[in-house]
Amino acid sequence: MIEAFTDVVPSFFGTLNRGPMTLTIFLHTVIILPMFFLYYSEKKKQKQGDHED
Amino acid sequence: MEEQKISVWGSVRFWRNTAVWVTGFAVLLLIWLSLDTIPQISAGTIEDLENGVTKRVPSAAVINYEIGYELDNKRKTEIPIIGGKQMFFGRNDYSEEEATELVSHGKMTVQSKNCMNCHTLLGNGAYYAPDLTKSWLDPAWSETGPYRPMTGKATTEEAMAEFLQHPNKYPTHARMMPDLGITPDEAIAVVAFLKHMSSIDTNGFPRNFNKIKGAVNAK
């Protein structure tokens, strides 16, 4: 599952490339997870009667 | 009591926050990737070469060394292998400064003669003429290849320099290279530039460089 580190110069992205977490999956996770927070916080605000400005 | 109407998907505020987050993260990511690139493309030093430290871009003093091109089984691409000392125009003791000056002169010549108008260098240029990224390693210029005997020279570097000065005398390709008026000094510098370029680890680029024995897509 974890492959050998083959990059010439070590970097975070080289490390990321070793395992099952690819750059694409990493970026989608990092970008989309906070969107759940944005969604639910907006829902909460609306329930409390705080609508659009 | 009147029921509140909840619509997150229709909320401008939600989409605005999302846009701010995604754009902000993308900006930070691009800055991070740019900073991450710097150590990848920084050239090594002559000490790295002496101590066998591998760099993507070796020092220009790599012209003092033999350069091989071998398939790396882990990476599944060919990578340049810097071997023992090798004579380059009768010398193998170029200092870092001398080598850098020579390679820079070669680079300036390549730019002033607009080689990229026909050739490709490190992915930039045209495909009208052969890709020069790994041209130093082309066996056609080796002892057994057809080009070196054609020029009547004893070494690869001398044969390439001779060709560069009088390309219209040597039919290497169906589309012959025109005479660009390259002087002997410029020819030596261009060959140094080509040798240095062939030592750069390009992750196996160009993939269609099929003239080397053992290459992945060798014919």
Side-chain angles (χ1 to χ4, degrees):
Chain A
M1 199 158 164
I2 304 289
E3 285 168 30
F5 191 88
T6 51
D7 260 35
V8 184
V9 179
S11 73
F12 170 77
F13 295 103
T15 313
L16 193 67
N17 233 0
R18 297 173 63 190
M21 194 71 152
T22 62
L23 183 66
T24 311
I25 301 171
F26 167 73
L27 292 181
H28 279 82
T29 310
V30 166
I31 290 168
I32 287 167
L33 280 183
M35 283 175 67
F36 281 94
F37 168 77
L38 292 177
Y39 179 87
Y40 287 110
S41 65
E42 175 65 27
K43 202 170 186 176
K44 199 175 157 190
K45 276 181 198 165
Q46 289 199 11
K47 270 184 183 167
Q48 287 167 353
D50 178 14
H51 279 271
E52 302 281 332
D53 41 4
Chain B
M1 193 177 114
E2 196 190 336
E3 202 181 316
Q4 289 280 353
K5 199 180 170 194
I6 292 173
S7 168
V8 177
W9 296 120
S11 155
V12 171
R13 187 169 53 194
F14 167 71
W15 288 112
R16 192 174 52 214
N17 289 346
T18 301
V20 167
W21 157 246
V22 173
T23 312
F25 179 77
V27 166
L28 291 175
L29 182 73
L30 283 173
I31 293 169
W32 182 12
L33 284 167
S34 302
L35 295 174
D36 187 67
T37 305
I38 294 168
Q40 306 278 349
I41 61 171
S42 306
T45 61
I46 197 163
E47 286 80 24
D48 288 337
L49 288 170
E50 284 159 2
N51 301 319
V53 176
T54 312
K55 289 288 237 174
R56 247 178 212 285
V57 184
S59 153
V62 77
I63 58 171
N64 292 323
Y65 292 84
E66 199 177 340
I67 298 160
Y69 203 49
E70 289 171 20
L71 180 65
D72 183 303
N73 285 321
K74 272 186 190 164
R75 292 174 58 189
K76 311 280 191 294
T77 62
E78 293 86 19
I79 54 168
I81 306 287
I82 296 161
K85 287 262 187 174
Q86 184 186 48
M87 291 299 225
F88 188 74
F89 291 104
R91 285 180 62 191
N92 64 3
D93 58 349
Y94 290 91
S95 68
E96 181 110 60
E97 292 72 32
E98 280 178 308
T100 306
E101 201 178 314
L102 196 59
V103 169
S104 304
H105 185 198
K107 185 179 164 189
M108 298 305 270
T109 307
V110 163
Q111 289 174 348
S112 65
K113 300 293 178 187
N114 200 8
C115 300
M116 280 191 197
N117 214 18
C118 298
H119 294 280
T120 292
L121 297 93
L122 293 168
N124 300 303
Y127 281 101
Y128 186 75
D131 192 313
L132 295 182
T133 310
K134 300 289 172 193
S135 59
W136 170 260
L137 303 165
D138 192 334
W141 294 101
S142 72
E143 225 168 328
T144 51
Y147 296 171
R148 198 199 281 187
M150 200 177 353
T151 60
K153 298 289 177 182
T155 61
T156 301
E157 60 270 26
E158 284 165 344
M160 287 174 110
E162 166 64 21
F163 171 77
L164 285 168
Q165 289 168 72
H166 313 285
N168 50 348
K169 268 170 58 183
Y170 304 107
T172 49
H173 288 271
R175 295 191 289 254
M176 280 173 71
M177 181 170 151
D179 192 340
L180 300 170
I182 296 172
T183 66
D185 280 350
E186 284 172 345
I188 290 172
V190 169
V191 178
F193 173 71
L194 292 176
K195 186 170 182 180
H196 178 247
M197 186 161 57
S198 75
S199 74
I200 296 173
D201 186 336
T202 52
N203 289 338
F205 178 89
R207 298 297 288 173
N208 58 352
F209 189 65
N210 52 21
K211 288 174 178 171
I212 290 174
K213 274 184 191 168
V216 171
N217 294 318
K219 281 176 187 158

